[in-house]
Amino acid sequence: MPRTKGQYEAMRTATRNKIHSAAIKLFAKKGFAATNVQDIAEGAGISIGLMYRHYKTKEDLFNELVSYAATGLEKIAEKFQSDESPIELIRQFTLEILNDLEKDDAFAELLMLMNQSSTLEHPSLQIQYLNEQSEAMLNQTARLIEKGQNLGQFKQGNASEMAFYYFASLQGLAMIKLTMKKRYITPSLKIVTAFLIPDYHD
């Protein structure tokens, strides 16, 4: 029987997911410049012809991945603006990150891709937008920390410095995860947030 439109769309989505997964892994490991379309096609288990049917260039693919990452940052910033308790928002978000790092390399690889995009010369509009969202998320996190400090939930200190330290810690864990592989140990929520949350809130 001929395939339906829905079946074709499902196959197309499955192929794009394979491409995305392979591309993120290769960009994180080899870097954007050293990764070519053939590498990505082989990593995804597809022909290079099928690869080109989905993406004309690796730049198009990279920019699409960057757009997904930017949307994710935008959602985090929006979440941090909610009326929920600052300490609970930080705990929930941190646990999600730690669980992702414990599960597999996908999140760590995505973070490495995001870091690489910020170092590329002549950034695309998508990369510029990602950089803007990164800045917005840092600023919103600082405001969330300041709000928590005013409520007595967080330790006192420069909220902007604490926000930078927080995300630097998470990015550092991602890098160690990719370099140490099976020797990597996911730290506890208490250790990661010790600089921010007093012991009496444990």
Side-chain angles (χ1 to χ4, degrees), residues 4 6-7 13 34 74 90 95 97-100 104 109 111 124 137 155 167 183 185 202:
T4 65
Q7 288 173 324
T13 299
E74 190 174 12
I90 288 291
L95 272 177
I97 300 300
L98 295 178
N99 288 338
D100 282 344
D104 54 37
E109 290 164 348
L111 276 185
S124 64
M137 187 185 66
K155 294 178 181 179
F167 285 108
R183 291 179 293 140
I185 300 173
D202 291 346

Side-chain angles (χ1 to χ4, degrees), residues 55-73:
Y55 297 99
K56 299 296 183 185
T57 66
K58 71 173 181 179
E59 286 80 9
D60 290 342
L61 171 56
F62 190 82
N63 284 331
E64 184 169 302
L65 295 173
V66 165
S67 293
Y68 287 150
T71 300
L73 294 182

Side-chain angles (χ1 to χ4, degrees), residues 122-138:
H122 313 299
S124 64
L125 291 176
Q126 292 89 340
I127 292 175
Q128 291 177 42
Y129 181 62
L130 175 65
N131 293 337
E132 290 170 6
Q133 290 307 311
S134 295
E135 186 78 17
M137 187 185 66
L138 271 171

Side-chain angles (χ1 to χ4, degrees), residues 61-131:
L61 171 56
F62 190 82
N63 284 331
E64 184 169 302
L65 295 173
V66 165
S67 293
Y68 287 150
T71 300
L73 294 182
E74 190 174 12
K75 289 179 179 178
I76 294 168
E78 289 175 359
K79 179 72 172 176
F80 281 2
Q81 293 178 54
S82 73
D83 293 330
E84 290 185 51
S85 167
I87 192 171
E88 289 308 314
L89 285 169
I90 288 291
R91 280 174 167 163
Q92 290 167 15
F93 177 70
T94 308
L95 272 177
E96 287 177 11
I97 300 300
L98 295 178
N99 288 338
D100 282 344
L101 289 173
E102 180 73 21
K103 183 174 61 176
D104 54 37
D105 291 347
F107 179 75
E109 290 164 348
L110 181 61
L111 276 185
M112 292 302 102
L113 180 144
M114 292 165 64
N115 287 341
Q116 285 183 32
S117 70
S118 65
T119 65
L120 294 177
E121 294 183 8
H122 313 299
S124 64
L125 291 176
Q126 292 89 340
I127 292 175
Q128 291 177 42
Y129 181 62
L130 175 65
N131 293 337

Side-chain angles (χ1 to χ4, degrees), residues 42-55:
E42 290 177 359
I46 62 174
S47 69
I48 194 165
L50 181 56
M51 175 75 191
Y52 278 120
R53 283 172 60 185
H54 286 269
Y55 297 99

Side-chain angles (χ1 to χ4, degrees), residues 139-178:
N139 292 337
Q140 186 54 48
T141 303
R143 285 191 285 270
L144 181 68
I145 290 173
E146 191 169 10
K147 180 180 176 183
Q149 289 171 333
N150 292 335
L151 293 171
Q153 296 178 345
F154 296 147
K155 294 178 181 179
Q156 293 302 308
N158 183 297
S160 294
E161 290 179 3
M162 295 169 93
F164 268 96
Y165 179 82
Y166 174 65
F167 285 108
S169 298
L170 296 178
Q171 289 191 356
L173 287 174
M175 185 175 294
I176 291 172
K177 163 79 173 179
L178 294 178

